[in-house]
Each structure stands twice: as C-alpha cells, then as structure tokens.
Amino acid sequence: MTHICNAKKRDEGRKVWVPGNSSSVQRPDLAGKTGTSLKTNTYIRSRVEDGEVNARFHSVNTRPQRSTSLYILSFRCVFCVFCGLLFVPADRPIFPSVSLWTATVLAEFQELATDNTSGATELVRKLLALCENCAIGYCFDDIEEGFALLEQSQKSMPSLHAVLHILKSEFLPRLQKDEETADAIAYISSLEKILAESGSAIAELFCSRFTSPVRCVTLSRSSTVLASLRALQEHGLLAQAFVLEARPMLEGHRTIRDLDEHGISATLLTDAAMGVALSKVDYAVVGADSVSADGYLLNKTGTLPLAICCKEFGVPLYVLSDSLKFSPQLREEIVVEHRPPEELILRNTKDHFSVWNRYFEWTPVEYVREFITERGAFTPDQLSALAGDEGLSPEAELR
C-alpha cells in the first residue's frame, strides 16, 4: 500500500500530517517559529478535499487511466489487509484510539515523575516538550491529569515543581477547550527558547568573570555548570577542576568523566574532603534546582557545608542557573522528600537506627557571591528581580 501511495503522490500540498505517538509529534510548519498564528487544528483533523480521501494513507487524486498491473497490485494489497483483519483478536482495536493516545501521554508523565537520574534542566525540557505535544493533540484532560500526577510524585524534584507551578498559572489559562491552542504553544516555545539560549549566555557571562586560568570545585552534576566549564576550557581560563562525588547517587562520577572526555584536568574527591578541595581552588560553582522567593537555594545535599566552607576559606561561590529555577513559592511550600534508606546502608533485623537520606537541602543565598543567569548576574539582594510571576514571564524575558 505504501508503494502504491508513494508512486501516485504528486501534489505535496495535499499531504496531511497526522500525529502519532506523543513522544514523536512534530510540527513541520512551526519549526523554528515562535508565536505563530497558524491554526493548530490543521495538525489534528484530517482534511477531505478534492480526491483526498484518507489522510493516514496519504491518498491523492484519482487518475482516469490505470494500468492493469496497478489494479492487480491494489487488489492484492486489499486482500492481504482483509486477511490480516480476520486474525485480529476481538478485544483488540484495529486502529489507534483516543484511549491509546491518553495511555501513552500518561505513561510519559509517569516516566517523568519517577526520573531521578536526569538533571534539573533536562527534566524541565522533557516536561515542556510533553506539554507542547499535548497542546498540539488537544489532550486537555491528559495535561491536567499529568500535572496532578507530578504534584503527587517525586517531591524531591523541586525545580520540576517550580516550573509546574508556572505552567499551571501561565500555560493552562492559555489552553482553553474548544479553542485554538496557538497561544499556548507559543508560550511553551518561548520557555523552550529560554532554555536553549540560556546555557550559552550563562557560560559567556561566567567566562567574563576571569582574565587568567583559574581552579574551581563543583558538586554533583549540572548541565549548566558543565557547559560553563567547557567554555572556560575553550578560552584557556580553566587550569584545574575538582569534583565532589555527591552521595548517594554519585552524580559527580558522571561529571568528572564528562570533563575528562573534553580534555579538562580534573580530580574526584569525596564530599567529606571539600575542605581539602577549597584550599586548592580560586572559586566554587554549583547549579540550582530551585531558588525560593524567600531567599533560599535548593540544591544537592552538600551544598550548605560547601557554602559554609567557602565563607571560612574566603572562596567565592557562584550559582549558575536559568531564570526558570527562580520560584515564586516560599521554602516551606516546596517539599523535599526522604529517599530510601537502602541507598545508604542495608539494615538487618538487629539494627534499630534510623537513616536520613535526602537528595536536596536548603542554603541561604547570603553565602553566594553571584547568581549568574541568562538575564544577567545578580547578587543575593537583587534576586527580587527574578522572583515572582513577572520575573518568570517569558514575554518579559523576550522583550
């Protein structure tokens, strides 16, 4: 059947796009465009025009003359399809249904809710892509159900919940049932644009802080920090990097391997050896999972003692983060959950001690020299420019 359709297809203007799996939805007309006014329902609804019958098979205008061999081949294809349908179980749908689409979308939300290996920025990118696909597919109920699932799951994803709070207040009001979704999709595109451009902007601004090769220490794993360290290396401004391993998930092991692959001289240390590292470096740099409106940095456990040691050693601490991490929520409104004790130690029946295991902890922003974002560098007393709904508005960001 595909061979027949491809052989007869002549008018590309009549080709109809039909969404499939939500993880692979593409918008060819909107590629590279932001704020487009194109009607998104043209991506969902099949058009039946002159001679255009089935969008799924890309049928085209009938032609007055057909060869005998073409008729025979068409008959064989129809016969094969008919025979195949005879063996389809009665309880299995022949064609994809709305329930199948819904199950796929909710499965992706579930996968996002249980992901504890991706970095904060990567998690946000996955969430934005999923929201965009749902908007294109008119999956209004699925988005609301997916948001509810995320709110009840993975409390240790503070940056994800911060962005979720923004999406609920800014994205959902734009996504009205029985209305065009172009405005909602444009909003998501503006957020994706911030993420795409923020890494290079932060790296450029961070490099401008140094005029000669320096040594640094970092904790855990941050894609924004990695990009900035690679930029320092490219400019000949990074002499040595020290990486704290970040128990219990040991994200620092991935970090140091990435640095080593890029030719950066690096040394791995245990978290308890951060004092040794700080005695050898010029500055410390970490990422951020969230920054609360009342002035606290939420990041990997170990950030607070690192910040205290930085103050004691007189080493400046920089935080590299895109502005989406600055939440309008207060610290007590962001729940940091306990993780399984088995990640630290296996207890037997004779053990009666408890285990404290959290991935994230709060650090007062007063310990930070500067917060470097794609919107500029901010001292702790200037963070009000980034907190709240106005600071997080992509419209304000793009002006």
XYZ file of all heavy atoms in Angstrom, residues 98-134:
279
model
N -8.433 7.023 20.957
C -8.150 8.120 21.875
C -7.601 7.586 23.186
O -6.704 8.168 23.793
C -9.431 8.944 22.108
C -9.181 10.025 23.167
C -9.901 9.574 20.813
N -8.148 6.433 23.628
C -7.671 5.860 24.887
C -6.209 5.446 24.791
O -5.463 5.541 25.766
C -8.530 4.647 25.259
O -8.458 3.655 24.248
N -5.787 4.991 23.596
C -4.384 4.617 23.416
C -3.496 5.846 23.507
O -2.428 5.821 24.129
C -4.196 3.919 22.065
C -2.762 3.490 21.722
C -2.250 2.507 22.763
C -2.713 2.875 20.327
N -3.931 6.952 22.866
C -3.178 8.208 22.952
C -3.071 8.657 24.402
O -2.009 9.034 24.886
C -3.878 9.279 22.106
C -3.282 10.648 22.212
C -3.382 11.519 23.256
C -2.468 11.298 21.241
N -2.706 12.678 22.993
C -2.144 12.573 21.760
C -2.009 10.955 19.974
C -1.370 13.490 21.055
C -1.245 11.868 19.272
C -0.928 13.108 19.812
N -4.203 8.612 25.138
C -4.220 9.025 26.535
C -3.282 8.178 27.379
O -2.537 8.692 28.213
C -5.650 8.934 27.092
O -6.505 9.818 26.361
C -5.683 9.298 28.566
N -3.312 6.863 27.163
C -2.437 5.976 27.923
C -0.980 6.290 27.667
O -0.147 6.256 28.586
C -2.739 4.519 27.554
N -0.643 6.624 26.422
C 0.737 6.953 26.080
C 1.182 8.239 26.756
O 2.275 8.328 27.312
C 0.891 7.090 24.558
O 0.494 5.873 23.933
C 2.331 7.405 24.190
N 0.315 9.253 26.727
C 0.641 10.532 27.362
C 0.831 10.363 28.863
O 1.809 10.844 29.446
C -0.459 11.573 27.068
C -0.249 12.824 27.918
C -0.470 11.932 25.591
N -0.073 9.659 29.510
C 0.029 9.464 30.951
C 1.241 8.613 31.313
O 1.846 8.799 32.376
C -1.253 8.814 31.484
C -2.505 9.686 31.387
C -3.705 8.944 31.951
C -2.303 11.018 32.099
N 1.606 7.676 30.438
C 2.813 6.876 30.678
C 4.054 7.758 30.650
O 4.998 7.553 31.430
C 2.922 5.762 29.634
N 4.065 8.762 29.771
C 5.207 9.669 29.705
C 5.254 10.568 30.934
O 6.332 10.889 31.435
C 5.134 10.498 28.424
C 5.337 9.668 27.164
C 5.478 10.536 25.931
O 5.683 11.754 26.076
O 5.387 9.977 24.821
N 4.107 10.996 31.424
C 4.080 11.756 32.670
C 4.579 10.897 33.833
O 5.304 11.374 34.713
C 2.657 12.255 32.962
C 2.348 13.592 32.358
C 1.474 13.709 31.284
C 2.926 14.748 32.864
C 1.181 14.948 30.729
C 2.648 15.995 32.310
C 1.771 16.087 31.235
N 4.198 9.627 33.844
C 4.638 8.725 34.900
C 6.150 8.525 34.845
O 6.833 8.510 35.871
C 3.930 7.372 34.757
C 4.334 6.339 35.804
C 3.951 6.761 37.207
O 2.849 7.266 37.433
N 4.843 6.552 38.159
N 6.678 8.380 33.635
C 8.131 8.227 33.481
C 8.868 9.466 33.961
O 9.923 9.373 34.593
C 8.457 7.948 32.009
C 9.931 7.748 31.729
C 10.217 7.481 30.264
O 9.252 7.289 29.502
O 11.399 7.483 29.883
N 8.296 10.618 33.677
C 8.906 11.870 34.129
C 8.857 11.975 35.654
O 9.808 12.447 36.288
C 8.169 13.051 33.498
C 8.719 14.452 33.754
C 10.126 14.582 33.186
C 7.800 15.501 33.153
N 7.767 11.515 36.243
C 7.600 11.621 37.690
C 8.571 10.729 38.452
O 8.915 11.020 39.599
C 6.165 11.270 38.073
N 9.023 9.644 37.841
C 9.914 8.704 38.532
C 11.372 8.826 38.095
O 12.208 8.027 38.518
C 9.436 7.266 38.276
O 9.383 7.007 36.860
C 8.054 7.037 38.868
N 11.675 9.816 37.276
C 13.035 10.003 36.773
C 13.893 10.683 37.840
O 13.657 11.836 38.186
C 13.002 10.847 35.502
C 14.355 10.955 34.821
O 15.365 10.614 35.459
O 14.397 11.373 33.654
N 14.892 9.974 38.370
C 15.787 10.568 39.372
C 17.242 10.568 38.909
O 18.161 10.683 39.716
C 15.676 9.841 40.711
C 16.128 8.387 40.628
O 16.366 7.874 39.540
N 16.243 7.732 41.763
N 17.449 10.444 37.598
C 18.809 10.449 37.057
C 19.088 11.638 36.145
O 20.225 12.056 36.007
C 19.086 9.150 36.266
O 18.139 9.035 35.193
C 18.954 7.936 37.184
N 18.059 12.193 35.518
C 18.254 13.344 34.639
C 18.502 14.600 35.457
O 18.020 14.720 36.590
C 17.037 13.544 33.736
O 16.819 12.420 32.915
N 19.252 15.530 34.870
C 19.491 16.804 35.526
C 18.241 17.664 35.541
O 17.266 17.392 34.835
N 18.268 18.704 36.362
C 17.089 19.546 36.534
C 16.653 20.199 35.231
O 15.476 20.197 34.882
C 17.372 20.615 37.586
N 17.612 20.748 34.494
C 17.276 21.405 33.237
C 16.737 20.408 32.225
O 15.804 20.704 31.475
C 18.511 22.118 32.663
O 18.980 23.084 33.610
C 18.175 22.831 31.364
N 17.294 19.215 32.206
C 16.811 18.185 31.293
C 15.384 17.775 31.635
O 14.559 17.538 30.752
C 17.739 16.972 31.336
C 17.388 15.897 30.330
C 18.349 14.732 30.365
O 19.328 14.799 31.136
O 18.119 13.748 29.636
N 15.068 17.691 32.912
C 13.711 17.354 33.334
C 12.721 18.419 32.885
O 11.621 18.109 32.433
C 13.659 17.202 34.851
C 14.358 15.977 35.444
C 14.310 16.040 36.967
C 13.728 14.689 34.943
N 13.116 19.673 32.999
C 12.243 20.758 32.569
C 12.013 20.693 31.070
O 10.890 20.896 30.584
C 12.845 22.121 32.980
C 12.032 23.262 32.382
C 12.897 22.244 34.489
N 13.056 20.406 30.305
C 12.902 20.287 28.850
C 11.909 19.182 28.488
O 11.091 19.335 27.581
C 14.260 19.994 28.197
C 15.204 21.178 28.147
C 16.332 20.924 27.159
N 17.259 22.044 27.108
C 18.429 22.070 27.718
N 18.813 21.026 28.441
N 19.220 23.117 27.628
N 11.994 18.048 29.188
C 11.079 16.943 28.918
C 9.647 17.344 29.227
O 8.720 17.004 28.484
C 11.480 15.718 29.746
C 12.767 15.048 29.301
C 13.078 13.850 30.176
C 14.364 13.155 29.730
N 14.670 11.975 30.589
N 9.438 18.066 30.316
C 8.102 18.500 30.688
C 7.529 19.470 29.658
O 6.365 19.355 29.255
C 8.120 19.141 32.071
C 6.800 19.744 32.549
C 5.705 18.694 32.598
C 6.970 20.403 33.917
N 8.331 20.424 29.211
C 7.860 21.392 28.224
C 7.513 20.709 26.906
O 6.497 21.037 26.274
C 8.920 22.470 27.995
C 9.230 23.382 29.187
C 10.287 24.407 28.811
C 7.969 24.069 29.691
N 8.338 19.766 26.479
C 8.055 19.040 25.235
C 6.762 18.249 25.360
O 5.961 18.186 24.412
C 9.218 18.118 24.892
N 6.535 17.653 26.511
C 5.317 16.875 26.718
C 4.086 17.781 26.717
O 3.043 17.434 26.142
C 5.421 16.120 28.045
C 4.315 15.116 28.380
C 4.109 14.131 27.236
C 4.653 14.381 29.662
N 4.192 18.951 27.333
C 3.081 19.910 27.323
C 2.777 20.391 25.907
O 1.611 20.538 25.518
C 3.404 21.099 28.225
S 3.399 20.726 29.984
N 3.810 20.642 25.130
C 3.615 21.093 23.756
C 2.914 20.022 22.932
O 1.992 20.317 22.166
C 4.969 21.445 23.130
C 4.855 21.995 21.715
C 6.211 22.367 21.143
O 7.219 21.824 21.618
O 6.245 23.191 20.223
N 3.332 18.776 23.084
C 2.698 17.689 22.344
C 1.235 17.526 22.736
O 0.379 17.255 21.892
C 3.449 16.385 22.587
C 4.821 16.382 21.939
O 5.100 17.178 21.053
N 5.688 15.497 22.402
N 0.941 17.684 24.015
C -0.448 17.587 24.475
C -1.288 18.729 23.901
O -2.458 18.535 23.553
C -0.504 17.604 25.993
S 0.088 16.089 26.779
